[in-house]
Amino acid sequence: MKTLSRRALLKLAGLGTAAGASVLNARALTSDAPSGHGGHAGHVDHVMGPVGRVSTEAFDPSLYLRSFNGSALPAAERERFYRHTTRPDGSLLREYRIVAADREIEIAPGIFFPAWTFNGQVPGPTLRATEGDRVRVTFVNQGSHPHTIHFHGWHPPEMDGALPEHEVMPGGTFVYEFDAEPFGLHLYHCHAVPLKRHLHKGLYGVFIVDPKTPRPPADEMVMVMNGFDTNFDADNEVYAVNTVANHFMHEPIAVRVGALVRIYLVNLTEFDLINSLHLHGMFFDVFRTGTSLSRSETTDTVMLCQGERAILETRFRYPGRFMFHAHQSEFAELGWMGMFRAEGGGRDT
Ligand SMILES: [Cu+2]
């Protein structure tokens, strides 16, 4: 692919977000992009409207959204990844198999990124346990570089996956084992050096620890805010929630009016100091890091630092379409934008 600066991509992406359609046009990245001459004097070169779609065969952000412990996988595939057994005290032993592998992924129409993945996907699968469960993760490194898994949460130092002696060489295996605590919304990621490279290449995922007394039933979903540095200049050219730019503009998230919606929001964007989520037409309760059952604040925009996360809860009051996006306009224009579609409770649109 032609080398592409962030500014050039921003220019080519089509800056008209008023129509709710930001664009990442693969054709515009090549030298035969439309020139923008004639009748458009003074305008930057750009093409308006969504062009092309990313294949969801290898990774479907909509399936990832509501997949916990591989619940969206075919049974046989899920068995290879996850199983649990009950322990004498009633808690569970949860066993996972996570494999690091190099894989090219499509992040916007025609834009491929040479990712490093956990189980072939970015983000890696969402792990979910209840406080007090035992977690055992067999990590296999089939990638081309040394990797680790560093979990956020309580664990002994030898399980931290962060020191040079913790690195698992290509072809190697390591078993991480610890008790799931505290309850909250956590993450896991590779901690090999250089850290920012290993992180932004895609080696990260979400780790949810539920309180022993569960949160109220809700329509639950995971959103990982991420970005991709396609030309390796330590600056992101593509932003998304759940990896594929603008995916949820094309495939709005269906929710029910009046139902409790719970979003597990994690910021795994590298190179930018902060990221944010803004939801149109409504407010939500924020539970920062998910470590308390009392809300931290009620707002319509939450800002998270790198590695920071928050549980968001809300109920849609009106049927119809509601946009959500980074409130950093540049991120939104480069792919971090999506839509809810609320149905029921009155007039559907
Ligand atoms: Cu790594």
Side-chain angles (χ1 to χ4, degrees), residues 129 157 188 226 280 286 337:
Y188 64 91
N226 51 4
H280 284 209
V286 178
M337 189 182 284

Side-chain angles (χ1 to χ4, degrees), residues 116 118 145-148 190-194 197-199 203:
W116 296 341
F118 287 134
H145 293 70
H147 298 304
T148 70
C190 178
H191 212 298
V193 289
R197 274 289 153 218
H198 284 248
L199 257 173
L203 290 169

Side-chain angles (χ1 to χ4, degrees), residues 281-296:
M282 52 200 299
F283 276 66
F284 48 81
D285 291 337
V286 178
F287 302 78
R288 286 201 176 259
T289 320
T291 44
S292 169
L293 299 177
S294 305
R295 66 185 175 194
S296 327

Side-chain angles (χ1 to χ4, degrees), residues 23-74:
V23 179
L24 286 163
N25 181 353
R27 287 181 308 171
L29 306 182
T30 61
S31 54
D32 60 355
S35 68
H37 287 266
H40 296 282
H43 287 207
V44 296
D45 292 351
H46 65 263
V47 178
M48 297 298 291
V51 178
R53 295 284 292 272
V54 171
S55 167
T56 52
E57 213 167 289
F59 176 74
D60 184 342
S62 295
L63 281 182
Y64 169 84
L65 187 77
R66 292 183 170 108
S67 177
F68 303 93
N69 289 334
S71 53
L73 292 173

